[in-house]
């Protein structure tokens, strides 16, 4: 009688606990996981906008790549991270190629400089207006080759607060938690072949 009750209990536990886990695992394998990107950090130092519209500034950003596919590795090459304001490229730099393991989170850090960049009318007006209010707002754009396909990652509205002169920039109160830590921004991502656009 005891053995029969134990067997029934084990079968019940398998149905309640084990079977859903197997189903979830099978669904995840069928879908193959996903790849998402978030802007986890953004800061600026040495911000200087001259009266004739020339910008000098150092940008430090970190993009997190969350790879939840446990079927294949991802090979990144030709990685370029750019800082944009109103569609004008302010600064950019290249990152080393790397391979992201299956089911892995990788942080991509980029440090770039805008060195006396002549701003167009629209970004100059907005940056001058924003900095006068104590913050700046910019976009982060990353391109790369991913397993032979093209990858485009767009992180909109990195808003950071100008705290002191010479301008050092930290997390804006509107995008930070109570401890002043930068709140992550979800990025849009497009992967497409050379024959097809995003």
């Amino acid at each position: 009688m005891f053995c029969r009750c134990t067997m029934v209990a084990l079968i019940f536990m398998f149905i309640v606990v084990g079977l859903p886990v197997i189903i979830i695992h099978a669904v995840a394998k069928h879908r193959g996981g996903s790849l998402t990107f978030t802007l986890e950090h953004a800061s600026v130092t040495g911000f200087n906008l001259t009266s004739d519209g020339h910008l000098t500034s150092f940008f430090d950003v970190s993009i997190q790549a969350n790879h939840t596919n446990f079927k294949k590795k991802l090979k990144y090459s030709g990685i370029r991270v750019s800082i944009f304001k109103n569609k004008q490229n302010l600064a950019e730099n290249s990152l080393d190629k790397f391979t992201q393991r299956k089911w892995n989170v990788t942080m991509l850090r980029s440090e770039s400089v805008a060195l006396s960049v002549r701003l167009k009318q629209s970004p100059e007006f907005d940056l001058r207006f924003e900095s006068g209010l104590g913050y700046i707002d910019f976009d982060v754009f990353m391109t790369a080759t991913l397993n032979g396909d093209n990858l485009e990652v767009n992180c909109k509205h990195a808003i950071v607060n100008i705290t002191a002169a010479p301008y050092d920039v930290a997390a804006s109160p509107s995008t930070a938690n109570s401890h002043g830590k930068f709140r992550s921004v979800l990025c849009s991502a497009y992967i497409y072949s050379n024959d097809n656009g995003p």
Side-chain angles (χ1 to χ4, degrees):
M1 182 69 180
F2 176 77
C3 293
R4 181 177 298 176
C5 292
T6 303
M7 184 64 67
V8 171
L10 290 174
I11 293 174
F12 179 76
M13 288 181 62
F14 172 78
I15 294 174
V16 172
V17 179
L19 192 58
V21 171
I22 293 174
I23 293 173
I24 292 172
H25 180 73
V27 171
K29 286 194 68 175
H30 175 70
R31 292 181 178 177
S34 63
L35 178 63
T36 58
F37 296 88
T38 53
L39 182 66
E40 293 293 329
H41 168 78
S43 64
V44 176
T45 56
F47 181 88
N48 181 37
L49 180 56
T50 64
S51 59
D52 60 351
H54 286 81
L55 173 69
T56 295
S57 186
F58 297 89
F59 297 89
D60 184 350
V61 299
S62 295
I63 298 175
Q64 178 178 283
N66 185 17
H67 175 39
T68 60
N69 188 320
F70 48 81
K71 287 185 175 182
K72 63 180 180 179
K73 299 178 180 179
L74 298 178
K75 295 182 179 180
Y76 294 76
S77 61
I79 309 167
R80 182 169 293 275
V81 178
S82 305
I83 306 298
F84 277 85
K85 180 63 177 180
N86 296 2
K87 299 183 179 180
Q88 180 177 358
N89 191 342
L90 305 180
E92 63 182 19
N93 80 320
S94 300
L95 304 181
D96 294 335
K97 64 180 181 180
F98 72 98
T99 298
Q100 188 173 18
R101 301 190 307 274
K102 305 171 185 177
W103 201 275
N104 173 264
V105 176
T106 299
M107 194 70 71
L108 305 173
R109 183 179 179 182
S110 169
E111 297 176 293
S112 57
V113 56
L115 185 59
S116 193
V117 175
R118 180 66 175 94
L119 296 178
K120 298 178 181 178
Q121 182 177 2
S122 175
E124 178 188 355
F125 177 85
D126 285 355
L127 284 176
R128 199 176 298 281
F129 175 79
E130 292 165 2
S131 61
L133 296 178
Y135 76 95
I136 61 172
D137 178 355
F138 56 89
D139 300 332
V140 181
F141 188 65
M142 183 179 79
T143 59
T145 299
L146 181 66
N147 287 3
D149 290 330
N150 298 307
L151 169 68
E152 294 185 1
V153 178
N154 198 351
C155 310
K156 293 259 186 198
H157 300 301
I159 303 175
V160 289
N161 184 44
I162 298 177
T163 58
Y167 293 131
D168 291 332
V169 180
S172 167
S174 63
T175 57
N177 60 24
S178 59
H179 302 290
K181 183 179 179 182
F182 185 82
R183 182 177 296 170
S184 63
V185 177
L186 182 63
C187 309
S188 60
Y190 304 93
I191 301 174
Y192 57 96
S193 67
N194 291 323
D195 298 330
N196 300 290

